[in-house]
């Protein structure tokens, strides 16, 4: 029978465990493990003290210090050794768990726990003071040795781009990091954490969306998860960098969070270029790639960017939940926004402003923070205080252009308001609950809001108002979206235009190269092809990160739905008509809040399925309420943008059945849409801009397309007819006047440009003569030729729309056309068009490919003749034939028979032709009558002649300012386009005209007496 093993005492077990953990021995014996160090001096000291050469918990720290201070050549560096000690202690702990003797087990567990604590404690000491325990190993890296352990802790099996790189095979022992960061004082850990944050920042500084950013991001999130880590981050000198040269780009590149926000697929300035190059790697020579490859790249970029957004949102949320760090986060966001305010400019300086990538990322993150209060019913909107715009010291909002109020009006109103001791939002400590559940509530206490002193922000006042997190988050998100996502839309639009321009120029160069090759042209073509390739890569990067991210767009749409519902709340809610006076709270709101909402809607409307599931009714209500309200929204271009949104939503254009109900079954739409579109059509004549003359055509093009669609909807057509009757001498007459003005100008311009184009075509077709011209002259003439082509195409398209609208409306609405102040204007327009289309010069307008220029003379002629016939049908007083003949410039009786001949050839309805011929006969008869009447009157006294038209006045009126007498129809026609006295430019409206009854009596008597003669 084998002899039983002698039982070890607890002291012996403790000695064995501690020797294994710390890899030391006090007795010089043969040792197979080369890592074990013999502490000879320590052993001698212990013996001299009369103690056994056995390790115990009492000797633990002394032995550890001696081991670290020993300067042993072959020993591990201090940090790796201490981490190893923790790991070995963990392993020993697992073995102890199997001990049967509970007393010994409990004692040994206590020993292991103490060893782990000691290892962690000395790790902190070493990292905070590396010179205490110098290492003989040469480590050239300045990075914290703690970083690989954190990276290994947070790494996951991420496939594809942006995933986890390796942490060099180093793995943190279970529980080590938790213990390292949990139980320590701030002063000990802060230097260590500072170094870690700097290392993490550096690791993503030049990283693109395809690089390894996810591990550092997870490491950052891991660190801020500890209260001490969060505090250290916001107290880091680089949390918000300081300095005289601080600007938006400096914050992006030098703050701790900045480089994380810089990670992007979007292009940036060469100096700040990141790797791998997303455009080059994913989209080079995209036109030759398979669609599946492009789709795979799009999906990859969208996925990694959403990982970035989620991670950064989680970091900020973690810091916001912590009452100690919340204010620092808001301060950081405010600084980033204020320092980048110039990103709103058309030209952005990339050296002083943060990148588009940063601000698109920040947009996505802020939308995630706003998400809890974007519920369908927008139940938290009452937490948003409009006074934040004036009294917040966090954001610089006061310099922004307001909806309607001037800066002087804002100042005057605020001084008048003088809120004194008004209660700020009643806040409670529920904000913590909001942040923990991601549902916003208010916080704080009742704070009195001081009056605004000499237009200074509140920071200049003694007290500072408190706002709910929802309120702060709302305004910050609005600013970030303006400088980020919306600016990116604008950049994308300009990029597409640049590509289009380059492609046009390239095709021109290639055509020229085909005719007369030259080395310079070859060089220009190669340069342009390279430019187009780079632009195309950039375009696809935008598409990948923004256009393809449906969730991002939907979140932004939800945010702007809250924005417009909140804005409407400032004027009393969704109801018409609007109050006669615009509330100052609304008038003072930054204009871009609304402009951004409209831009987003336009952009999203052009992306397939982007509007699916979005609640559009509130947007529709808002647009109908405000698009024709200059007393609420001063900027006519902003009101015009609302029409552009509606234009995108027309069912035939949007491709979505959801938008049809907005026009055809929507209460406010049925009642006010046509009325407000007609009003805006008139208002847009005078925008106040130096380009107003040309701008109005583009804006009216959108209105015309909408009106044409609405005319086909019976309920809208009925509303239109009602307006024409009620506003016969009001807005409808103005609308008709501008419609006729535009038609004349556009058709005239188009026809003149066609004549010029034909001359240039003749020049270029004479090859021998053309080749003799200098190359530069040929280039300039070719460019001019293409420019003329584009002008004709645009003007002709707009002219076709206007004539078409005159044709279809005149079929059912004739009265306004036949008013005294309008009928002669309409007749002269129709006569002029008829002259151009069937007169002696018509052959000079024949083009090889008229459809290319949207020039359809047959269709135009049919429409012109239809307008003649429609007005003749509605002419119960038989005034139209006389008006036709009064036009001395274009009227010719032969034109009617010539037009009838053409109409027969192109197959027009025989009844229309017959009615048109009859109208021509009536006009001829009226011309004879007019000549007889003129002959009967003889010489007319000057005082009876209208000073503008030099025709006999029928209804003389006195102009109140200049005191000159004119004929009422003549001055009323002038006032339709210009509300001033033509003789001294003073303000004048039709109701200010004074009837000259005395002169009228004289004229009537003169006519009567001449008739009797």
């Amino acid at each position: 029978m084998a002899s039983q093993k002698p039982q070890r005492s607890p002291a012996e077990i403790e000695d064995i465990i501690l020797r294994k953990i710390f890899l030391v021995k006090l007795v010089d014996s043969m040792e197979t493990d080369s890592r074990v160090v013999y502490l000879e001096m320590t052993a001698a000291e212990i013996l001299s003290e009369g103690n056994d050469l056995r390790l115990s918990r009492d000797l633990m720290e002394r032995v550890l210090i001696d081991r670290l201070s020993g300067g042993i050549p072959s020993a591990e560096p201090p940090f790796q050794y201490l981490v190893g000690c923790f790991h070995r202690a963990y392993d020993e702990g697992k073995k102890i768990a199997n001990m049967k003797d509970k007393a010994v087990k409990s004692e040994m567990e206590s020993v292991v726990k103490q060893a782990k604590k000691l290892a962690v404690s000395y790790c902190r000491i070493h990292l905070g003071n590396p010179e205490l325990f110098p290492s003989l190993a040469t480590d050239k890296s300045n990075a914290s040795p703690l970083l690989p352990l954190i990276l290994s802790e947070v790494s996951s099996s991420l496939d594809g781009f942006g995933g986890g790189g390796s942490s060099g095979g180093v793995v943190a022992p279970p529980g080590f990091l938790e213990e390292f960061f949990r139980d320590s004082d701030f002063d000990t850990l802060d230097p260590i954490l500072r170094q870690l944050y700097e290392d993490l920042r550096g690791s993503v500084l030049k990283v693109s969306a395809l690089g390894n950013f996810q591990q550092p991001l997870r490491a950052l999130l891991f660190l801020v998860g500890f209260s001490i880590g969060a505090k250290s981050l916001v107290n880091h000198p680089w949390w918000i960098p300081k300095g005289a040269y601080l600007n938006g780009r400096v914050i992006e590149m030098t703050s701790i969070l900045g480089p994380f926000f810089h990670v992007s697929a979007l292009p940036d300035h060469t100096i700040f270029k990141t790797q791998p190059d997303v455009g080059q790697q994913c989209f080079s020579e995209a036109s030759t790639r398979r669609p599946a490859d492009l789709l795979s790249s799009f999906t990859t970029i969208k996925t990694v960017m959403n990982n970035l957004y989620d991670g950064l949102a989680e970091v900020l949320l973690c810091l916001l939940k912590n009452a100690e760090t919340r204010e620092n986060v808001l301060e950081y966001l405010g600084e980033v926004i204020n320092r980048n305010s110039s990103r709103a400019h058309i030209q952005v300086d990339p050296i002083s402003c943060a990148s588009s990538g940063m601000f698109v990322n920040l947009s996505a993150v802020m939308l995630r923070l706003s998400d809890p209060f974007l519920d369908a019913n927008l139940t938290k909107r009452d937490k948003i205080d409009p006074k934040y715009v004036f009294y917040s010291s966090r954001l610089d909002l006061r310099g922004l252009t307001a909806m309607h109020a001037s800066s002087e009006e804002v100042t005057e109103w605020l001084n008048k308001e003088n809120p004194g001791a008004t209660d700020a939002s009643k806040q409670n400590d529920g904000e913590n609950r909001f942040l923990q559940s991601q549902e916003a509530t208010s916080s704080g206490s009742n704070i009195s809001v001081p009056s605004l002193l000499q237009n200074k922000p509140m920071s200049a006042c003694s007290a500072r108002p408190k706002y709910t997190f929802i309120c702060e988050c709302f305004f910050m998100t609005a600013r970030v979206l303006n400088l980020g996502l919306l600016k990116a839309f604008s950049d994308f639009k300009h990029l597409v235009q640049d590509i289009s321009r380059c492609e046009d120029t390239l095709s021109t160069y290639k055509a020229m190269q085909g005719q007369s090759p030259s080395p310079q042209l070859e060089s220009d073509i190669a340069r342009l092809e390279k430019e187009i390739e780079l632009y195309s890569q950039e375009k696809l990067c935008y598409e990948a990160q923004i256009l393809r991210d449906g969730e991002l767009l939907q979140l932004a749409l939800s945010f702007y739905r809250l924005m417009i519902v909140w804005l409407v709340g400032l004027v009393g809610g969704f109801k018409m008509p609007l109050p006669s006076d615009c509330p100052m709270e609304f008038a003072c709101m930054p204009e871009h809040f609304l402009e951004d909402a409209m831009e987003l809607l336009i952009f999203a409307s052009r992306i397939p399925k982007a509007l699916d599931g979005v609640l559009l009714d509130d947007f529709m209500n808002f647009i109908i309420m405000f698009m024709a309200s200059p007393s609420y929204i001063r900027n006519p271009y902003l009101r015009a943008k609302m029409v552009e949104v509606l234009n995108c939503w027309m069912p035939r254009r949007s491709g979505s059945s959801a938008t049809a109900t907005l026009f055809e079954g929507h209460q406010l739409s049925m009642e006010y849409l046509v009325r407000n579109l007609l009003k805006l059509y008139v208002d847009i004549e005078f925008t106040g801009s130096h380009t107003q003359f040309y701008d109005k055509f583009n804006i009216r093009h959108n209105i015309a397309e909408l009106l044409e669609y609405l005319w086909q909807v019976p309920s809208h057509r009925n509303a239109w007819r009602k307006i024409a009757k009620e506003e016969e001498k009001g807005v409808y007459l103005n609308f008709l006047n501008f419609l006729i003005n535009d038609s004349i100008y556009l058709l005239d311009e188009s026809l003149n440009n066609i004549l010029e184009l034909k001359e240039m075509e003749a020049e270029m077709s004479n090859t021998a003569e053309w080749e003799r011209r200098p190359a530069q002259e040929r280039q300039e003439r070719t460019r001019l030729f293409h420019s003329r082509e584009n002008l004709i195409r645009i003007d002709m398209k707009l002219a076709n729309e206007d004539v078409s609208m005159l044709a279809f409306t005149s079929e059912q609405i004739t009265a306004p056309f036949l008013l005294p102040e309008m009928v002669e204007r309409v007749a002269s327009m129709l006569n002029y068009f008829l002259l151009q289309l069937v007169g002696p010069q018509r052959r000079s307008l024949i083009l090889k490919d008229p459809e290319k220029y949207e020039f359809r003379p047959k269709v135009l002629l049919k429409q012109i003749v239809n307008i003649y016939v429609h007005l003749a049908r509605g002419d119960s007083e038989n005034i139209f034939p006389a008006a036709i003949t009064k036009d001395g410039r274009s009227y010719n009786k032969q034109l009617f028979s010539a037009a009838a001949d053409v109409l027969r050839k192109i197959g027009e309805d025989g009844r229309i032709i017959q009615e048109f011929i009859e109208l021509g006969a009536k006009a001829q008869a009226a011309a004879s009558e007019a000549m007889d009447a003129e002959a009967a009157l003889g010489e007319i006294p000057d005082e009876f002649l209208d000073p503008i038209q030099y025709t006999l006045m029928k209804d003389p009126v006195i102009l109140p300012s200049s005191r000159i007498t004119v004929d009422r129809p003549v001055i009323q026609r002038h006032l339709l386009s210009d509300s001033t006295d033509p003789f001294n430019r003073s303000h004048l409206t039709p109701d200010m005209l004074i009837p000259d009854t005395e002169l009228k009596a004289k004229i009537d008597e003169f006519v009567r007496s001449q008739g009797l003669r």
Side-chain angles (χ1 to χ4, degrees):
M1 190 176 171
S3 59
Q4 200 174 0
K5 242 182 173 183
Q7 190 78 21
R8 287 197 178 110
S9 68
E12 288 172 322
I13 297 169
E14 187 176 343
D15 174 51
I16 293 165
I17 289 171
L18 291 176
R19 277 192 281 125
K20 284 183 181 177
I21 290 172
F22 293 113
L23 295 177
V24 293
K25 57 184 180 180
L26 297 176
V27 177
D28 190 11
S29 59
M30 291 296 291
E31 183 62 59
T32 52
D33 189 343
S34 60
R35 296 174 301 161
V36 175
V37 174
Y38 170 47
L39 298 177
E40 188 176 357
M41 294 293 289
T42 311
E45 285 173 16
I46 290 167
L47 282 173
S48 69
E49 291 162 9
N51 294 322
D52 294 337
L53 289 178
R54 193 178 284 161
L55 286 178
S56 66
R57 70 189 80 188
D58 297 335
L59 291 172
M60 205 188 294
E61 187 166 6
R62 179 175 171 184
V63 166
L64 182 59
I65 291 169
D66 287 352
R67 165 64 181 79
L68 288 169
S69 310
I72 300 146
S74 60
E76 281 181 292
F79 182 77
Q80 284 78 354
Y81 166 72
L82 289 164
V83 173
C85 290
F86 189 96
H87 206 303
R88 290 186 289 276
Y90 171 79
D91 290 340
E92 289 302 315
K94 285 201 291 187
K95 293 177 194 171
I96 291 164
N98 298 321
M99 284 184 176
K100 290 175 184 172
D101 187 327
K102 289 185 180 177
V104 174
K105 178 182 172 183
S106 172
E107 208 173 319
M108 293 309 118
E109 281 175 345
S110 172
V111 168
V112 165
K113 188 178 178 183
Q114 194 175 330
K116 284 159 81 173
K117 199 167 183 178
L118 198 62
V120 166
S121 179
Y122 273 85
C123 268
R124 293 192 197 114
I125 292 167
H126 168 64
L127 291 175
N129 306 276
E131 67 285 351
L132 275 180
F133 305 116
S135 169
L136 299 177
T138 54
D139 182 10
K140 292 177 183 174
S141 167
N142 290 323
S144 168
L146 199 55
L147 187 57
L149 298 187
I150 296 170
L151 293 176
S152 74
E153 181 83 3
V154 299
S155 67
S156 69
S157 54
L158 263 180
D159 297 322
F161 297 116
S166 76
S167 54
V170 182
V171 179
F176 173 78
L177 293 171
E178 288 282 325
E179 191 148 341
F180 186 92
F181 290 111
R182 182 167 291 117
D183 301 319
S184 179
D185 64 288
F186 179 75
D187 292 340
T188 302
L189 278 189
D190 186 45
I192 299 166
L193 284 161
R194 280 190 184 189
Q195 179 65 50
L196 283 169
Y197 288 132
E198 287 164 30
D199 294 345
L200 288 171
R201 173 195 158 277
S203 69
V204 295
L205 194 55
K206 290 282 185 181
V207 171
S208 75
L210 301 183
N212 173 25
F213 66 82
Q214 295 201 45
Q215 263 196 319
L217 180 57
R218 280 201 199 85
L220 180 66
L221 184 57
F222 174 80
L223 291 174
V224 298
F226 296 100
S227 178
I228 206 162
K231 186 180 176 184
S232 176
L233 176 59
V234 301
N235 282 287
H236 195 292
W238 296 352
W239 171 249
I240 301 174
K242 301 287 186 286
Y245 300 103
L246 184 65
N247 60 35
R249 182 63 84 162
V250 169
I251 291 182
E252 178 180 26
M253 304 315 289
T254 61
S255 70
I256 299 294
L257 292 186
F260 285 93
F261 278 106
H262 183 244
V263 173
S264 174
L266 301 183
D268 195 5
H269 191 277
T270 318
I271 300 173
F272 309 106
K273 208 160 179 61
T274 53
Q275 294 299 330
D277 185 319
V278 178
Q280 190 64 38
Q281 193 155 318
C282 294
F283 303 120
S284 59
E285 297 176 1
S287 56
T288 62
R289 295 197 178 198
R290 292 183 311 134
D293 292 342
L294 285 177
L295 192 60
S296 171
S297 294
F298 286 142
T299 306
T300 297
I301 290 166
K302 180 186 159 186
T303 303
V304 296
M305 290 315 299
N306 272 280
N307 288 341
L308 177 73
Y309 304 154
D310 291 340
L312 286 170
E314 220 176 319
V315 167
L316 290 189
L317 196 63
C318 196
L319 295 168
L320 287 164
K321 284 178 186 177
N322 186 331
E324 270 192 286
T325 56
R326 183 182 309 139
E327 185 63 23
N328 302 84
V329 177
L330 296 172
E331 191 185 342
Y332 174 77
L333 293 172
E335 195 74 11
V336 168
I337 293 164
N338 293 334
R339 294 283 180 178
N340 285 287
S341 58
S342 57
R343 274 190 56 79
H345 299 169
I346 294 170
Q347 294 292 331
V348 177
D349 176 15
I351 307 301
S352 63
C353 282
S355 64
S356 289
M358 176 180 191
F359 263 82
V360 169
N361 296 345
L362 191 54
S363 297
V365 170
M366 291 306 296
L367 286 170
R368 278 160 169 75
L369 295 179
S370 303
D371 190 40
F373 53 88
L374 300 180
D375 56 296
N377 295 321
L378 305 175
T379 51
K380 302 283 201 282
R381 68 177 183 272
D382 60 327
K383 306 284 183 190
I384 303 164
D385 184 352
K387 295 282 172 64
Y388 184 92
V389 172
F390 320 111
Y391 297 127
S392 165
S393 58
R394 183 109 54 210
L395 290 186
D396 184 13
L397 299 170
R398 297 169 61 83
L400 301 173
T401 305
M403 293 274 197
H404 192 274
S406 65
S407 56
E408 292 79 18
E409 287 168 334
V410 176
T411 305
E412 187 185 342
W413 174 63
L414 289 173
N415 288 338
K416 230 183 257 180
E417 280 279 291
N418 193 4
T422 52
D423 289 340
S425 306
K426 289 184 181 179
Q427 301 169 333
N428 54 50
D429 55 7
E431 186 151 322
N432 275 331
R433 289 199 298 278
F434 152 68
L435 291 163
Q436 282 156 15
S437 65
Q438 293 197 29
E439 282 191 68
T441 64
S442 37
S443 72
S445 56
N446 295 342
I447 305 278
S448 64
V449 181
S451 62
L452 199 71
L453 300 177
Q454 297 175 349
N455 209 17
K456 290 178 184 174
M458 284 305 297
S459 54
C461 305
S462 55
R464 186 167 158 175
K466 293 281 182 185
Y467 295 99
T468 64
F469 175 76
I470 290 177
C471 185
E472 296 245 29
C473 188
F474 173 80
F475 287 105
M476 284 186 172
T477 305
R479 288 295 291 138
V480 166
L481 287 168
N482 175 253
L483 304 173
L485 189 62
L486 274 299
K487 179 64 177 169
F489 291 163
S490 171
D491 293 344
F492 178 77
K493 195 162 62 178
H494 290 138
L495 190 55
V496 171
Q497 288 167 354
D498 287 343
I499 293 172
S500 178
R501 271 194 293 271
C502 285
E503 286 173 341
D504 287 347
T505 310
L506 182 63
S507 65
T508 305
Y509 282 178
K510 283 184 173 176
M512 289 162 62
Q513 181 78 337
Q515 291 172 357
S516 51
S518 74
Q520 181 59 48
L521 269 175
E522 199 173 319
S523 163
D524 288 343
I525 287 168
R527 175 182 55 78
L528 270 175
E529 284 175 337
K530 190 176 177 183
E531 268 183 44
I532 290 170
E533 166 65 15
L534 289 173
Y535 281 152
S536 300
Q537 287 179 21
E538 289 185 9
K539 175 177 171 277
L540 290 166
C541 287
Y542 274 95
E543 192 175 330
Q545 186 169 338
I546 301 171
L547 277 71
R548 298 259 172 176
D549 193 343
E551 289 167 26
L552 175 63
L553 295 175
Q554 293 249 333
L555 253 182
L557 286 163
S558 295
F559 178 82
Y560 281 109
R561 181 172 159 260
L562 167 63
M563 173 65 79
I564 61 107
V565 170
W566 177 74
L567 284 172
V568 165
L570 300 180
V571 301
F574 287 110
K575 55 190 177 198
M576 290 283 278
L578 287 164
S580 53
D581 293 326
C582 175
M584 282 301 286
E585 284 89 349
F586 182 91
C588 296
M589 282 303 113
E591 184 183 85
H592 83 71
F593 286 3
L594 179 53
E595 185 173 9
D596 293 345
M598 295 304 116
E599 285 286 4
L600 175 65
L601 288 168
I602 292 165
F603 202 83
S605 299
R606 291 170 182 162
I607 300 170
K609 298 186 177 178
L611 293 180
D612 288 3
V614 178
L615 298 166
L616 296 175
D617 287 67
D618 292 326
F619 291 113
M620 185 72 174
N621 284 329
F622 187 96
I623 289 169
I624 293 168
M625 285 173 69
F626 291 98
M627 70 179 174
S629 303
S631 58
Y632 277 75
I633 297 167
R634 189 190 296 274
N635 185 347
Y637 294 100
L638 180 49
R639 286 181 283 119
K641 211 174 278 291
M642 298 183 194
V643 177
E644 204 177 332
V645 173
L646 297 184
N647 206 273
C648 294
W649 288 353
M650 283 194 297
R652 67 168 180 261
R653 178 161 294 161
S654 71
S656 168
S657 57
T659 57
T661 57
L662 295 173
F663 296 99
E664 297 175 27
H666 190 280
Q667 189 183 346
L668 277 186
S669 170
M670 309 302 280
E671 198 173 342
Y672 289 98
L673 184 52
V674 171
R675 181 184 299 275
N676 286 351
L677 283 169
L678 295 174
K679 189 171 182 304
L680 184 59
Y681 194 100
V682 172
D683 290 347
I684 218 69
E685 180 74 14
F686 306 106
T687 63
S689 163
H690 66 284
T691 58
Q692 68 180 13
F693 181 76
Y694 301 101
D695 296 338
K696 69 180 179 185
F697 293 117
N698 291 326
I699 296 164
R700 284 177 176 164
H701 160 67
N702 286 327
I703 298 174
E705 285 196 322
L706 260 171
L707 287 172
E708 187 179 350
Y709 158 65
L710 294 172
W711 183 261
Q712 295 158 25
V713 181
S715 50
H716 284 295
R717 187 163 61 246
N718 291 336
W720 192 324
R721 288 161 64 182
K722 186 183 173 192
I723 294 159
K725 194 172 181 180
E726 290 173 356
E727 297 279 352
E728 190 178 88
K729 292 213 168 193
V731 72
Y732 198 80
L733 190 60
N734 284 302
F735 158 71
L736 204 55
N737 177 61
F738 289 130
L739 183 59
I740 289 166
N741 286 354
D742 289 359
S743 303
I744 294 169
Y745 171 80
L746 290 165
L747 200 59
D748 202 30
E749 280 289 291
S750 303
L751 299 178
N752 287 334
N753 278 325
I754 285 172
L755 295 175
E756 277 191 47
L757 193 76
K758 291 194 73 176
E759 281 178 26
M760 292 167 79
E761 268 182 339
E763 275 180 34
M764 294 160 85
S765 61
N766 184 347
T767 316
E769 177 62 35
W770 179 252
E771 291 296 330
R772 277 199 288 274
R773 294 190 180 192
Q776 190 175 350
E777 188 187 335
R778 289 201 305 272
Q779 278 185 29
E780 284 171 8
R781 293 294 286 171
T782 306
R783 278 199 200 97
L784 185 61
F785 179 81
H786 291 308
S787 169
R788 281 278 177 273
E789 283 191 314
N790 287 333
L791 270 176
I792 294 168
R793 198 178 299 117
I794 293 164
D795 287 349
M796 207 69 237
K797 184 177 182 180
L798 297 174
N800 288 338
E801 274 175 0
D802 289 351
V803 174
S804 171
M805 191 158 18
L806 287 166
F808 67 69
T809 56
S810 63
E811 186 175 7
Q812 296 190 26
I813 302 168
T814 54
F817 289 90
L818 299 169
L819 289 168
E821 57 264 46
M822 186 55 73
V823 65
E824 289 179 23
R825 181 102 173 102
V826 173
S828 65
M829 172 194 75
L830 294 172
N831 292 344
Y832 174 68
F833 287 167
L834 202 62
L835 175 67
Q836 299 299 325
L837 294 170
V838 298
Q841 299 296 316
R842 70 180 185 276
R843 296 205 171 277
S844 61
L845 297 173
I846 294 172
L847 291 165
K848 289 178 191 171
D849 183 8
E851 195 60 41
K852 177 183 176 184
Y853 305 104
E854 310 247 357
F855 181 45
R856 306 179 188 101
K858 293 175 186 176
V859 175
L860 266 175
L861 179 61
K862 279 186 177 185
Q863 289 174 331
I864 297 299
V865 168
N866 272 286
I867 298 167
Y868 272 115
V869 170
H870 294 157
L871 298 185
R873 287 173 183 170
D875 182 21
S876 57
E877 295 180 19
N878 203 31
I879 59 170
F880 189 42
I884 291 171
T885 61
K886 280 186 182 175
D887 170 28
R889 185 178 72 147
S890 305
Y891 171 70
N892 185 327
K893 63 182 180 181
Q894 279 85 26
L895 291 177
F896 280 76
S897 54
D901 291 341
V902 175
L903 290 171
R904 287 188 194 98
K905 286 178 189 172
I906 62 178
E908 177 58 291
D909 186 332
R911 286 171 302 174
I912 296 285
I913 297 171
Q914 186 56 40
E915 287 182 61
F916 181 63
I917 291 169
E918 288 170 9
L919 177 62
K922 284 182 182 177
Q924 195 174 341
S928 295
E929 285 176 26
M931 286 174 71
D932 293 345
E934 194 175 335
L937 286 171
E939 191 167 339
I940 303 167
D942 284 352
E943 66 171 319
F944 297 168
L945 291 173
D946 173 77
I948 298 172
Q949 296 278 32
Y950 291 97
T951 52
L952 179 67
M953 291 188 279
K954 291 178 182 175
D955 185 4
V957 289
I958 301 166
L959 306 184
S961 171
S962 61
R963 307 303 296 175
I964 291 172
T965 300
V966 293
D967 201 12
R968 187 188 293 273
V970 173
I971 191 62
Q972 283 186 328
R973 195 178 311 139
H974 163 80
L975 291 175
L976 287 171
S977 301
D978 186 351
S979 55
T980 61
D981 182 325
F983 300 100
N984 65 8
R985 309 304 296 162
S986 60
H987 180 65
L988 182 64
T989 57
D991 58 312
M992 294 164 70
L993 302 174
I994 305 161
D996 193 337
T997 49
E998 190 181 331
L999 183 59
K1000 185 173 185 339
K1002 286 182 184 177
I1003 293 170
D1004 290 346
E1005 176 58 29
F1006 169 75
V1007 171
R1008 191 183 63 78
S1009 63
Q1010 295 297 94
L1012 290 173
R1013 200 176 60 178

